[in-house]
Amino acid sequence: MAGTGIATQYDLTDSAGAYQADIGAESLTTDRDVYFSGGTNAGDLCMIDTADTTYGLGKSVKACDSADTALAVGFSVETTSAGAFGKIRTYGPMQNANVDAGIAAGVALASKASPSGRTTTATFDDDLIIAVTLETSVAGNTGDIFITIGG
């Protein structure tokens, strides 16, 4: 019987062959509960806070304020206050991430020292790729991305 195989059930293309996956598809994301030593806005890139020992060294995160992408662990899923628990996304699509304005779709991203939580175009010489843009980022410094940190 045509059109009933497992490949058809998971086909994410329309009749013209265009990709039609929902960017918020829960099955594509990996979120983790973490302790925030510093406040973050939803969409901020987060890093290990090497100065905070509330739950032991390396067990808390804050908005990334370093160009050292190796410390990046995920993007804040929600606005979170300092001293609270919340979620970071380590893999998958994310809407409205904190991205430099004007970066085209399909560009690899790396951390940026300032402003906190922002990502910018990766230079490839020494940057670890943390995400790829899915659309051109807008003037408000947001864009839809696909996170690759925990992939």
Side-chain angles (χ1 to χ4, degrees):
M1 186 184 319
T4 59
I6 193 158
T8 302
Q9 292 176 10
Y10 293 98
D11 185 4
L12 298 176
T13 58
D14 64 14
S15 60
Y19 183 67
Q20 296 294 315
D22 176 11
I23 190 163
E26 295 300 320
S27 63
L28 295 176
T29 61
T30 303
D31 293 352
R32 301 284 184 232
D33 292 316
V34 295
Y35 174 77
F36 287 87
S37 58
T40 63
N41 293 312
D44 279 354
L45 176 63
C46 297
M47 64 184 280
I48 296 169
D49 186 346
T50 58
D52 185 76
T53 58
T54 303
Y55 289 97
L57 189 59
K59 295 190 177 181
S60 59
V61 300
K62 65 180 181 175
C64 191
D65 60 3
S66 170
D68 184 359
T69 303
L71 294 173
V73 292
F75 287 77
S76 183
V77 173
E78 57 209 356
T79 298
T80 308
S81 301
F85 285 89
K87 291 189 181 299
I88 58 170
R89 180 155 300 155
T90 61
Y91 182 81
M94 181 164 198
Q95 293 178 308
N96 300 318
N98 189 349
V99 179
D100 272 349
I103 297 178
V107 173
L109 299 172
S111 64
K112 183 175 181 175
S114 178
S116 297
R118 178 88 37 92
T119 55
T120 191
T121 304
T123 59
F124 296 109
D125 55 351
D126 59 356
D127 289 334
L128 296 172
I129 307 309
I130 56 170
V132 175
T133 54
L134 296 176
E135 65 175 1
T136 299
S137 53
V138 297
N141 298 106
T142 63
D144 294 347
I145 63 171
F146 193 95
I147 304 164
T148 59
I149 295 172

